[in-house]
């Protein structure tokens, strides 16, 4: 009797998380007069302000302290913190410099890149559908490199930083909430130092104008709310469902890029996206078919 409401709730959580991520370019576009480094620094600090009280309210201090006392896990989280900071910084920079198409391509590539990394680094075996999907995505990247390679480094760097971030978080023995809290705590001194330096050189936007300041304060919620919704969805949905939902965000970003932001989709980019979408179609189709066969056997 409770399974259907839980599934519906999980879909709402997941769709909302990916929908909010899909709308991120709109939020950052409102801050186009702000330095990308300041946006990321404010994002880190206001995330700490939001996350630490949640840790206290939810009674997660013991689990957080257990991670803090584990040198190996802390080293892994330090590496993941550097990767997610680089990912945030380049993504924000891409949006501010009218490269939303390149950023959306990164997150279309990400699931296929995860497959390739699983094979190369974790010794996982590819299914036939996964192999075809990776080859199609590789062809799409090659087309972009040959025909419109100026933005290729943006897509690949965003995709690779997030893929390696995901790999470390997969291997690190820490829950999502505690991991994010520690990552932001590790980044906070650097974020604060950068803001102090920026303020000393007259380049900080925070405090100059009410609307911009309010948007920068919201950076913490913009960061943590989708992640918390995603964590809830991950507990309530099958991985196959989450795999389908993850394409919502880059699709929304792609549509924003070619409509609202007026970015040009030239033939090389269109062919590149077409090959990557074909790879995703094969990947999703193979995943659904494999799940159907397993359910039939069970």
């Amino acid at each position: 009797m409770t399974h259907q409401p839980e599934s519906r709730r999980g879909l709402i959580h997941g769709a909302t998380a990916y929908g909010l991520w899909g709308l991120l370019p709109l939020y950052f576009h409102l801050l186009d007069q702000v330095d990308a480094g300041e946006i990321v620094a404010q994002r880190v600090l206001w995330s700490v302000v939001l996350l630490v009280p949640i840790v206290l309210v939810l009674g997660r201090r013991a689990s957080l302290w257990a991670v803090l006392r584990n040198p190996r896990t802390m080293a892994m989280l330090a590496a993941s913190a550097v990767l997610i900071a680089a990912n945030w910084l380049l993504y924000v920079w891409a949006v501010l410099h009218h490269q939303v198409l390149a950023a959306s391509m990164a997150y279309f590539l990400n699931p296929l890149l995860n497959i390739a990394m699983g094979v190369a680094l974790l010794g996982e075996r590819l299914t036939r559908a996964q192999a075809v999907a990776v080859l199609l995505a590789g062809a799409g990247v090659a087309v972009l490199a040959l025909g419109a390679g100026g933005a290729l480094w943006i897509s690949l760097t965003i995709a690779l930083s997030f893929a390696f971030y995901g790999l470390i978080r997969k291997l690190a023995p820490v829950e999502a909430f505690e991991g994010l809290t520690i990552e932001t705590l590790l980044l906070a001194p650097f974020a604060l130092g950068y803001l102090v330096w920026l303020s000393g050189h007259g380049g900080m936007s925070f405090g100059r104008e009410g609307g911009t300041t309010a948007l920068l304060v919201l950076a913490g919620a913009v960061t943590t709310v989708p992640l918390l919704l995603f964590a809830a969805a991950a507990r309530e949905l099958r991985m196959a469902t989450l795999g389908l939902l993850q394409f919502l965000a880059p699709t929304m970003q792609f549509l924003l890029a070619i409509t609202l932001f007026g970015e040009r989709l030239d033939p090389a980019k269109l062919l590149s996206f077409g090959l990557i979408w074909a790879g995703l179609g094969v990947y999703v189709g193979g995943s659904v078919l494999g799940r159907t066969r397993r359910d039939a056997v069970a």
Side-chain angles (χ1 to χ4, degrees):
M1 294 297 291
T2 60
H3 176 72
Q4 187 62 32
E6 288 179 351
S7 296
R8 188 180 300 115
R9 184 177 61 189
L11 282 171
I12 292 171
H13 287 157
T16 304
Y18 283 110
L20 290 172
W21 280 324
L23 293 173
L24 268 182
L26 291 176
Y27 170 77
F28 292 130
H29 185 69
L30 294 173
L31 294 167
D32 60 356
Q33 77 283 7
V34 181
D35 173 72
E38 180 180 356
I39 294 174
V40 173
Q42 297 281 0
R43 191 176 185 182
V44 168
L45 293 177
W46 290 108
S47 295
V48 171
V49 170
L50 187 60
L51 285 166
V52 170
I54 294 176
V55 168
L56 299 177
V57 170
L58 296 181
R60 308 283 281 267
R61 284 173 292 182
S63 58
L64 190 68
W65 182 241
V67 177
L68 289 169
R69 291 185 298 175
N70 188 318
R72 180 177 179 274
T73 303
M74 286 299 296
M76 297 177 77
L77 289 176
S80 66
V82 171
L83 287 168
I84 199 60
N87 178 270
W88 287 350
L89 182 61
L90 185 54
Y91 181 86
V92 172
W93 183 93
V95 173
L96 297 183
H97 287 79
H98 311 291
Q99 296 287 349
V100 179
L101 273 178
S104 71
M105 175 175 280
Y107 291 107
F108 280 123
L109 281 172
N110 195 250
L112 301 174
L113 191 58
N114 286 340
I115 296 172
M117 288 178 62
V119 173
L121 301 178
L122 301 178
E124 297 177 357
R125 297 183 63 182
L126 286 179
T127 65
R128 185 175 300 174
Q130 288 173 334
V132 172
V134 171
L135 288 174
L136 285 169
V141 172
V143 167
L144 188 63
L146 292 172
L152 179 61
W153 72 272
I154 300 173
S155 300
L156 290 179
T157 306
I158 292 175
L160 284 167
S161 61
F162 196 72
F164 278 106
Y165 171 78
L167 176 66
I168 292 174
R169 290 302 303 272
K170 176 182 175 65
L171 298 176
V174 59
E175 294 294 327
F177 184 80
E178 285 81 355
L180 178 63
T181 302
I182 292 173
E183 285 168 348
T184 53
L185 285 170
L186 290 171
L187 292 171
F190 301 98
L192 184 60
Y194 180 74
L195 291 180
V196 170
W197 177 86
L198 198 62
S199 177
H201 288 75
M204 193 161 77
S205 298
F206 185 84
R208 288 187 178 179
E209 190 270 324
T212 298
T213 299
L215 287 170
L216 289 172
V217 171
L218 283 173
V222 166
T223 300
T224 58
V225 169
L227 285 168
L228 294 175
L229 287 168
F230 172 78
R235 292 192 299 268
E236 298 162 347
L237 296 176
R238 297 185 308 178
M239 288 303 296
T241 306
L242 276 177
L244 292 173
L245 285 175
Q246 72 179 312
F247 302 121
L248 176 61
T251 300
M252 292 174 64
Q253 293 169 13
F254 174 84
L255 293 174
L256 286 172
I258 62 175
T259 56
L260 188 63
F261 299 140
E263 293 189 29
R264 190 168 66 92
L265 189 61
D266 57 44
K269 288 181 181 176
L270 184 59
L271 178 57
S272 180
F273 269 105
L275 288 167
I276 292 169
W277 287 331
L280 291 173
V282 172
Y283 165 65
V284 171
S287 299
V288 171
L289 182 61
R291 178 73 187 192
T292 302
R293 287 175 175 171
R294 288 193 297 271
D295 289 345
V297 171

